[in-house]
């Protein structure tokens, strides 16, 4: 490999490793993923139950307040009975009393249902919280372990950043700007290795771009090996390079 391509390949590797390190620093590591997902799911269950318990408590209070209001109304109607003078007024008042009585029994039923719901939800919530405790402890332990690994990864990322700056200073500007443009377009890598494709029954060897699979002409391969210029894939435009172990 010519030294210039070598630098760019190393730059690409350092950028990819830095991305990986940053991803690990700011994300959830793979070894914690399953536990993390379970933790999130269980916590969501508990939050939902907690919400349901609060709703049931609110419903119960509302029903109790409505019952009380209706009972006040009933009391008022009952006091009015002695004061009515006509049969018609008396009948109308009895009608009101009946209505309010049925309202009271409705509110009482609602209150009772809300109370049952609240008790049942609370019981379920307590048991879920109890179960969650063990998982949460395990999670906190893993989290602490993960936190203790972070400084090492952060240090490694710092080293990579320094190395990237060093390499960028060593690559000529036009090549660097081409590399940057390609990296914008292909965040997973601006470079593609040239791969030899062995086909049985064919005497001629065929080369391909490892990223897009487009054919690379043999003279291009020779050019990459011998010249200092950066050669791009005809199709995807990634910069082509030969892996050190690749026979030419
Ligand atoms: Zn390509």
């Amino acid at each position: 490999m010519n030294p210039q391509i070598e630098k760019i390949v190393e730059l690409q590797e350092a950028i990819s490793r830095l991305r990986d390190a940053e991803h690990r620093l700011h994300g959830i590591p793979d070894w914690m993923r399953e536990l993390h997902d379970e933790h999130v799911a269980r916590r969501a269950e508990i939050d939902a139950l907690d919400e349901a318990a609060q709703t049931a408590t609110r419903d119960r209070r509302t029903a109790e307040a409505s019952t009380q209001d209706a009972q006040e109304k009933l009391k008022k109607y009952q006091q009015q009975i002695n004061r009515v003078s006509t049969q018609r007024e008396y009948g109308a008042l009895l009608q009101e009393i009946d209505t309010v009585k049925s309202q009271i029994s409705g509110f009482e039923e609602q209150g009772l249902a809300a109370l049952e719901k609240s008790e049942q939800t609370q019981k379920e919530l307590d048991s879920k919280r109890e179960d969650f405790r063990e998982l949460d402890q395990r999670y906190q332990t893993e989290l602490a372990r993960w936190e203790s690994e972070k400084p090492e990864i952060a240090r490694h990322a710092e080293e990579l950043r320094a190395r990237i700056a060093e390499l960028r200073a060593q690559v000529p500007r036009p090549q660097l700007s081409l590399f940057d443009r390609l990296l914008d377009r292909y965040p997973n890598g601006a470079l593609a290795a040239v791969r030899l494709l062995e086909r049985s029954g064919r005497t001629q060897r065929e080369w391909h771009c490892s990223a897009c699979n487009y054919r690379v002409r043999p003279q291009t391969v020779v050019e990459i090996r011998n010249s200092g210029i950066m050669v791009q894939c005809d199709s995807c435009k990634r910069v082509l390079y030969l892996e050190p172990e690749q026979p030419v």
Side-chain angles (χ1 to χ4, degrees):
M1 224 192 302
N2 75 62
Q4 199 176 307
I5 286 291
E6 215 170 311
K7 290 258 184 284
I8 289 173
V9 170
E10 198 193 334
L11 177 61
Q12 176 66 75
E13 273 170 12
I15 288 171
S16 299
R17 291 220 306 272
L18 177 61
R19 253 171 43 129
D20 182 51
E22 277 169 347
H23 181 74
R24 275 156 63 210
L25 274 177
H26 301 117
I28 298 296
D30 287 345
W31 54 266
M32 260 191 81
R33 172 62 60 190
E34 208 177 310
L35 185 61
H36 174 79
D37 289 349
E38 200 187 342
H39 193 264
V40 168
R42 293 281 189 86
R43 163 139 303 150
E45 265 176 27
I46 288 173
D47 287 349
L49 272 175
D50 197 22
E51 179 77 35
Q54 283 178 32
T55 304
T57 304
R58 266 199 308 274
D59 288 352
R60 181 174 57 79
R61 288 204 187 113
T62 307
E64 278 170 4
S66 303
T67 306
Q68 217 165 17
D69 286 351
Q71 271 163 349
E72 290 295 318
K73 220 190 256 179
L74 178 62
K75 218 190 288 171
K76 212 176 68 195
Y77 289 150
Q78 279 165 342
Q79 284 162 356
Q80 281 172 12
I81 284 197
N82 304 325
R83 298 200 295 270
V84 294
S85 47
T86 69
Q87 193 62 35
R88 208 165 69 86
E89 273 175 5
Y90 184 73
L93 198 54
L94 279 187
Q95 185 71 48
E96 295 283 10
I97 287 173
D98 270 356
T99 305
V100 85
K101 273 183 175 167
S102 91
Q103 277 173 354
I104 288 172
S105 86
F107 291 141
E108 279 172 347
E109 255 172 52
Q110 280 171 22
L112 206 62
L115 179 67
E116 268 171 27
K117 171 91 180 155
S118 160
E119 281 174 352
Q120 184 201 334
T121 313
Q122 194 57 50
K123 219 158 94 185
E124 216 176 320
L125 188 58
D126 290 345
S127 129
K128 290 261 184 204
R129 279 197 174 127
E130 179 68 34
D131 291 347
F132 183 67
R133 201 171 302 152
E134 186 269 331
L135 174 76
D136 190 43
Q137 263 167 15
R138 203 146 44 89
Y139 184 70
Q140 298 307 333
T141 307
E142 297 283 87
L143 209 57
R145 189 183 135 204
W146 167 221
E147 284 300 326
S148 75
E149 283 180 9
K150 276 186 180 178
E152 175 61 26
I153 299 170
R155 200 187 52 73
H156 181 57
E158 213 37 66
E159 275 173 14
L160 285 168
R161 263 183 224 109
R163 184 65 188 141
I164 288 166
E166 224 170 75
L167 288 164
R168 288 181 68 86
Q170 290 167 12
V171 176
R173 194 143 293 279
Q175 276 93 331
L176 191 62
S177 80
L178 172 64
F179 173 80
D180 284 341
R181 276 203 308 278
L182 287 167
L183 197 60
D184 274 348
R185 184 164 155 198
Y186 301 116
N188 287 328
L191 307 183
V194 178
R195 294 264 158 77
L196 185 61
L197 204 71
E198 301 283 6
R199 280 215 184 118
S200 56
R202 286 211 182 186
T203 46
Q204 210 176 0
R205 300 196 295 180
E206 266 188 28
W207 301 84
H208 288 259
C209 163
S210 63
C212 76
N213 232 17
Y214 197 76
R215 190 161 174 241
V216 179
R217 282 167 292 131
Q219 57 266 44
T220 306
V221 178
V222 174
E223 211 178 330
I224 295 167
R225 190 188 52 187
N226 296 338
S227 79
I229 58 161
M230 275 170 38
V231 181
Q232 291 172 264
C233 167
D234 285 338
S235 174
C236 72
K237 305 295 176 203
R238 286 181 179 89
V239 172
L240 298 170
Y241 70 97
L242 291 163
E243 284 163 328
E245 69 275 14
Q246 189 78 265
V248 180

